[in-house]
Amino acid sequence: MSTLEIRDLQVSVGSTQILNGITLTINSGEVHAVMGPNGAGKSTLSAAIMGKPGYEITGGSVTLDGQDVLAMPTWQRAVAGLHLVMQYPTEVPGVKLSEVLSEALTARHATLPNLNKTINEEAARISFDSELVNRAVNVDFSGGEKKRNEIMQMAILEPDVAVLDETDSGLDIDALRIVSEGVNAMRGPDTGFLVITHYQRLLEYIVPDRVHIMWDGRIVHSGGKELALELEEKGYDWVKQDLAKA
């Protein structure tokens, strides 16, 4: 079992403090959803976990199975077992998917006897056009195709902990369902998920074990899947009211 431990994480961008003490523990086999309004710090959390440039850690710690994640460059975090499914997947002209995955597996000292066969099988499972597999990564892909590509890469690399940063952004209902099925197929004792989303609709497909509400760079409420339903029904006004009373 793997464990991602985030303790009192504080992050600034430029002169602005964004995260003000995030504490969260994700074990393999668990799905944690983080919800919150725009500007709450949700995407900053994913960027800090993966080491995106421009995000300064001003306090706290992040460890994966006891390893100091914050001391690692981004590529070492991926090798250690972290994986980011991006909100806005990057286009990589001139580089094929099989080349990216082969290098990633080699870095992790892992091999697949027939990588191309596995790619085609995973592509078929999530209705990803097999023609796109042989193109440069994400070049001229639609938004939905890029997200399916991200899910396919995650399935092949089998990370210990996957961070999904607003994967539902820009997806129609069919693409949302297919992408969610790809995530659900990976659920089990070997992988933990941190699912960052604005909307409860994603959590109708990827049912979380825990839901956390982020507000002003802090987690202010945690609960079961019913917490997402409460947000859908009431919006965030009740969170603001609770904080004002406190």
Side-chain angles (χ1 to χ4, degrees):
M1 184 179 77
S2 291
T3 300
L4 177 68
E5 289 190 87
I6 303 166
R7 290 285 176 267
D8 194 29
L9 183 63
Q10 301 159 53
V11 179
S12 66
V13 178
S15 60
T16 304
Q17 191 80 15
I18 306 295
L19 298 187
N20 297 296
I22 298 292
T23 295
L24 191 60
T25 299
I26 301 167
N27 296 308
S28 52
E30 298 176 349
V31 175
H32 290 247
V34 171
M35 306 182 73
N38 286 328
K42 301 185 301 298
S43 290
T44 296
L45 176 59
S46 70
I49 291 171
M50 294 307 300
K52 185 176 181 179
Y55 292 80
E56 181 185 359
I57 310 300
T58 56
S61 64
V62 180
T63 61
L64 179 64
D65 298 334
Q67 299 180 78
D68 183 1
V69 168
L70 300 180
M72 303 176 186
T74 297
W75 69 269
Q76 283 187 353
R77 301 182 195 204
V79 169
L82 295 176
H83 184 90
L84 175 65
V85 176
M86 293 182 283
Q87 181 179 4
Y88 303 110
T90 302
E91 295 186 3
V92 189
V95 180
K96 290 184 178 180
L97 177 62
S98 59
E99 295 170 332
V100 170
L101 291 172
S102 178
E103 289 295 325
L105 289 165
T106 298
R108 294 182 179 187
H109 306 291
T111 58
L112 282 174
N114 194 332
L115 178 57
N116 287 327
K117 180 174 181 289
T118 302
I119 290 173
N120 287 322
E121 288 173 349
E122 289 294 335
R125 189 167 61 81
I126 60 170
S127 302
F128 185 70
D129 191 338
S130 59
E131 178 189 341
L132 301 178
V133 167
N134 297 311
R135 288 194 199 171
V137 176
N138 290 328
V139 174
D140 295 327
F141 287 16
S142 69
E145 288 166 346
K146 289 179 180 179
K147 297 296 178 69
R148 295 184 201 206
N149 191 10
E150 290 281 294
I151 297 300
M152 182 173 64
Q153 292 177 53
M154 178 180 68
I156 291 171
L157 294 174
E158 298 182 329
D160 295 324
V161 177
V163 180
L164 281 65
D165 185 11
E166 298 192 31
T167 304
D168 51 337
S169 175
L171 294 184
D172 62 31
I173 193 65
D174 289 329
L176 178 65
R177 176 181 53 80
I178 290 170
V179 165
S180 298
E181 288 173 355
V183 173
N184 286 330
M186 290 187 64
R187 293 187 71 161
D190 298 325
T191 304
F193 292 92
L194 174 58
V195 179
I196 295 170
T197 182
H198 277 295
Y199 304 111
Q200 193 273 334
R201 66 172 188 163
L202 177 65
L203 305 183
E204 293 176 3
Y205 295 101
I206 305 172
V207 179
D209 298 296
R210 297 286 290 169
V211 174
H212 311 278
I213 300 176
M214 187 180 290
W215 188 282
D216 193 26
R218 290 185 173 89
I219 291 174
V220 296
H221 285 285
S222 294
K225 60 184 180 181
E226 67 280 355
L227 185 55
L229 296 172
E230 187 173 1
L231 278 178
E232 181 75 5
E233 178 184 348
K234 299 179 180 178
Y236 288 102
D237 284 347
W238 68 272
V239 179
K240 187 176 183 178
Q241 292 168 5
D242 278 0
L243 291 174
K245 291 176 183 177

